[in-house]
Amino acid sequence: MSSSTSPSPQGRDEDQGCIFEAYRAIGSVTGAAPCSVHARGNQLYVTTQVGRTWHLYTVAKLQLKLVGPQHHGAISHLANKGDLTFAAVGSTVCVSKRAHLLKVFDEDDEGNSLEDFHGDVLQMLVVGDFLLTLHRQGSLLRWRINAQGRKDRDADHESNQNGRRENGNESVLSLEDSIEFEDDFVPTCMCHPPAYLNKVVIGSEDGRVQLWNVMTRRCIYTFEFPAETTSSGKPDDANSVVCVVASPALDVVAVGFSTKKVILHNLKFDEKVTDFTILLNSKGNLSMSGIQGNESEKQEQAKATQITSVAFSTGTGLPLMAVGTSSGAIVVFDLDKRQLHCMMGSGGGSDVMSHSQRVVSLHFLANKPILMSSSEDNSLKQWLFNDTLDNLPSLLRFREGHSMPPTLVRHYEKNGSSDDSMANGGKLLSCSNLDKTFRVFSTHKDEQSFEMSQRNVARRTKRIKLSNSGELKLSAVVD
C-alpha cells in the first residue's frame, strides 16, 4: 500500500494566511500542461491546467463548470476518470474528487520517495481501472483506481446503521506494481492503442519504441527506427521520440521525433506505413517532404520547428492528421492523398490562424470535423474544417486571455464608472497588456469576458496574410 498524505484545506501552504483562499485565476484559460478530454455521461469535458490548479470546461460551448483546488506546486500533467481528477505535481500524484483535494501520494509501496527513486512524472494515462504514471528516472507505476460510488454507498449504509460515517476516500488510489526499464532505455512518452489489452507503447530518447504488457511487466517487442543522417553523413544523435499517438486505423500509431518527422508505423507487422517531415525555411514558408522520403527536397538553410503533439480525425469525413509545433503553427495532412492539407499559421505560428506560442495539445472530437487545440499563449480554440478553396478551417469557438502578464488592471462598470470599490458591483475588470490587447474580464461568469474590438484586426490579418495581428493593433494601453 503506497503512502499518502492528507492535504491541508484547498492545498493551502502552511505559511499562507487563513483569511483568504485562492479560488479562481481570472483571465487564465490554460497553461503548459496538455489538456485532458474525457466523457461524463453524455457530455464531453476538457480539463486545463492553470498554474497550481485546473479548470473544467464543457466541450460543447467551452463554459467554465468547475475550478479545482490549489495544489502545492505547478501541475505538469492531468488525467480524469469519472468525478476523479489526477494531477501530477513534480513527482507526486494528487487526487481530487470534483473540487476537493483528497490525497497527495508522494511515496511508493515500499516507503521510498517518488522524487528520489522515480523522478518527475513525464505522462499520466488512464487505462480502464488503472492509472499509469511514467517517470523520468526510467519507471512506470501502475495505480489501481478504486470504485468510489460503491464505497460511498457502503459508507452511507454503515452510517445509517451505526449513526456515524467513516472516511471512504482512504483507498481512492493504490499503487499495485512498477516496471523498471533498462538503464539505456530512457522513456519520454507513452500511449495505449485501443485494441491492445493491458498494453502500452513507450517511446525513448534514443529513438526506440517498446510495447509493454503492464500486467505481466513484460516487454513484448522493441521497434527500431534508424537515426536520421546529418549533412556530414553521420547519424543524428538527436532522434528522441517526443510523442506517440494511436491512430483510428487498427495496429497503426504515429511516432513523432525530435528530428521533425512523424512516422505512421504498423505495430503488428513492424512496418512503416508512411512518414512526413515538417520544415520551415528562412522565409517562414512550409517545406514538406514526406511520403517518399525524398531528402533532396530539404534545404540546408531550412529551420525546423519542434513537433509537440499529434491528433487524428475520426468519422466519415476526410482522414486528417494534425501536427502541433513549438512555434504555434498547426500542420494538417490529408492521409488519403498523403499530402499537405493546410497549414494553420503560415510563417511559424499566428495568433489569428493558429497560436502565437507553443501548441501544447491537439484533440479531434469523435466523428466530427472539429479540432481542439491548446497553447501556452493562454488560449483554448476549436476549429471547424469545411470544404473551402484554401482548406483552412474556421475558428468555431474559443476561450483566451492575455498571453503576457497584465500591466494595468481597473474595475470597470457599464455606466462608465471606474470606481475601485465594490459598491457598484465590481463584477468587471478592464485589463491591458503588452500583447496590445485590451480585455474585460467578468468575476461572475467566465463566458462574459471579452476583448475590446480594434476594427476587424483578425479579418485584415488573414486578408494580407500576416502571422501576427499585433502589427495592425494599437500600442499597449498605459493609463
Side-chain angles (χ1 to χ4, degrees):
M1 184 71 181
S2 60
S3 175
S4 62
T5 58
S6 297
S8 58
Q10 300 298 319
R12 186 172 60 242
D13 296 335
E14 294 180 358
D15 56 349
Q16 183 178 352
C18 298
I19 299 178
F20 298 104
E21 290 182 358
Y23 168 62
R24 180 167 69 93
I26 299 176
S28 296
V29 179
T30 185
C35 297
S36 173
V37 180
H38 56 100
R40 184 60 175 157
N42 296 328
Q43 297 292 329
L44 276 179
Y45 296 92
V46 54
T47 306
T48 64
Q49 174 259 344
V50 179
R52 304 199 316 174
T53 185
W54 46 264
H55 289 177
L56 181 69
Y57 295 89
T58 61
V59 173
K61 296 185 178 180
L62 293 183
Q63 292 180 335
L64 181 63
K65 289 297 184 181
L66 193 63
V67 177
Q70 291 289 322
H71 295 70
H72 61 278
I75 298 175
S76 59
H77 290 85
L78 290 166
N80 296 86
K81 181 178 176 60
D83 289 335
L84 298 178
T85 301
F86 308 99
V89 180
S91 60
T92 61
V93 178
C94 306
V95 185
S96 301
K97 185 174 182 180
R98 297 184 180 94
H100 303 285
L101 184 61
L102 299 182
K103 289 290 180 181
V104 177
F105 295 85
D106 54 4
E107 294 181 353
D108 58 15
D109 52 351
E110 297 179 356
N112 300 321
S113 172
L114 294 180
E115 181 178 4
D116 297 336
F117 284 82
H118 302 284
D120 293 342
V121 177
L122 296 175
Q123 190 174 345
M124 303 177 68
L125 191 64
V126 174
V127 180
D129 293 332
F130 296 98
L131 173 69
L132 305 179
T133 57
L134 187 66
H135 293 260
R136 188 175 301 277
Q137 296 184 11
S139 59
L140 176 65
L141 304 185
R142 188 182 82 236
W143 309 75
R144 174 173 289 277
I145 306 172
N146 297 318
Q148 286 297 296
R150 186 179 64 182
K151 293 181 69 65
D152 291 341
R153 289 194 299 268
D154 293 343
D156 290 337
H157 178 72
E158 186 174 351
S159 63
N160 294 332
Q161 295 293 330
N162 303 330
R164 61 183 179 88
R165 175 172 180 148
E166 295 183 357
N167 188 4
N169 299 324
E170 293 297 333
S171 301
V172 60
L173 193 68
S174 58
L175 181 61
E176 282 200 346
D177 211 340
S178 63
I179 297 175
E180 301 295 333
F181 303 110
E182 298 178 356
D183 294 338
D184 60 343
F185 187 86
V186 181
T188 56
C189 55
M190 64 177 174
C191 81
H192 168 62
Y196 286 61
L197 182 64
N198 300 327
K199 298 176 181 64
V200 293
V201 179
I202 302 175
S204 66
E205 288 186 353
D206 58 3
R208 289 182 297 167
V209 175
Q210 293 184 349
L211 178 65
W212 279 81
N213 188 318
V214 296
M215 301 302 293
T216 61
R217 305 195 321 175
R218 186 171 63 92
C219 179
I220 300 175
Y221 194 80
T222 299
F223 302 92
E224 301 285 349
F225 294 92
E228 295 288 321
T229 57
T230 60
S231 57
S232 60
K234 297 181 179 180
D236 190 359
D237 295 333
N239 194 38
S240 174
V241 179
V242 295
C243 62
V244 182
V245 180
S247 73
L250 185 64
D251 302 320
V252 178
V253 297
V255 184
F257 293 89
S258 57
T259 54
K260 295 81 187 175
K261 173 176 286 189
V262 179
I263 296 179
L264 300 185
H265 198 79
N266 190 303
L267 300 178
K268 184 176 181 179
F269 299 102
D270 191 12
E271 295 179 352
K272 182 179 71 173
V273 179
T274 185
D275 62 70
F276 301 92
T277 301
I278 303 172
L279 297 173
L280 290 177
N281 57 31
S282 58
K283 296 182 180 180
N285 298 321
L286 177 69
S287 173
M288 189 276 293
S289 62
I291 58 177
Q292 301 298 331
N294 189 359
E295 298 294 335
S296 62
E297 295 181 4
K298 300 181 182 179
Q299 303 177 8
E300 293 183 0
Q301 302 295 329
K303 180 182 178 181
T305 59
Q306 184 73 35
I307 294 175
T308 58
S309 55
V310 178
F312 291 91
S313 64
T314 59
T316 58
L318 286 176
L320 301 177
M321 180 183 72
V323 181
T325 63
S326 57
S327 65
I330 301 175
V331 187
V332 184
F333 296 99
D334 188 334
L335 297 180
D336 265 351
K337 299 179 180 179
R338 298 190 179 184
Q339 67 181 16
L340 178 68
H341 182 74
C342 68
M343 180 177 180
M344 302 163 57
S346 59
S350 170
D351 60 342
V352 174
M353 292 171 283
S354 59
H355 295 279
S356 60
Q357 298 182 25
R358 177 177 179 268
V359 178
V360 177
S361 60
L362 295 173
H363 181 82
F364 269 102
L365 302 188
N367 302 321
K368 294 181 180 179
I370 299 177
L371 173 66
M372 184 164 57
S373 61
S374 67
S375 170
E376 290 183 354
D377 63 0
N378 192 25
S379 64
L380 180 66
K381 300 180 180 181
Q382 292 183 2
W383 310 88
L384 176 63
F385 285 85
N386 293 318
D387 294 332
T388 57
L389 295 178
D390 55 3
N391 292 329
L392 286 175
S394 58
L395 184 60
L396 182 62
R397 58 181 66 93
F398 63 94
R399 287 284 180 266
E400 63 180 356
H402 288 300
S403 59
M404 301 175 65
T407 57
L408 182 66
V409 180
R410 295 285 188 272
H411 279 282
Y412 167 77
E413 296 298 332
K414 292 184 178 181
N415 58 8
S417 173
S418 60
D419 187 7
D420 287 348
S421 67
M422 300 294 290
N424 296 326
K427 296 181 179 179
L428 298 178
L429 292 174
S430 59
C431 183
S432 65
N433 189 279
L434 293 178
D435 60 6
K436 297 183 179 181
T437 59
F438 188 78
R439 301 179 183 274
V440 176
F441 297 106
S442 172
T443 60
H444 180 59
K445 288 186 177 181
D446 181 75
E447 55 266 25
Q448 293 180 353
S449 302
F450 60 92
E451 178 185 354
M452 290 291 187
S453 174
Q454 297 190 32
R455 293 188 61 183
N456 296 326
V457 172
R459 185 179 301 174
R460 287 186 292 157
T461 302
K462 290 182 179 179
R463 186 172 64 249
I464 62 180
K465 297 181 180 180
L466 290 177
S467 61
N468 188 4
S469 63
E471 300 179 17
L472 302 178
K473 291 182 179 180
L474 300 174
S475 58
V477 178
V478 295
D479 198 2

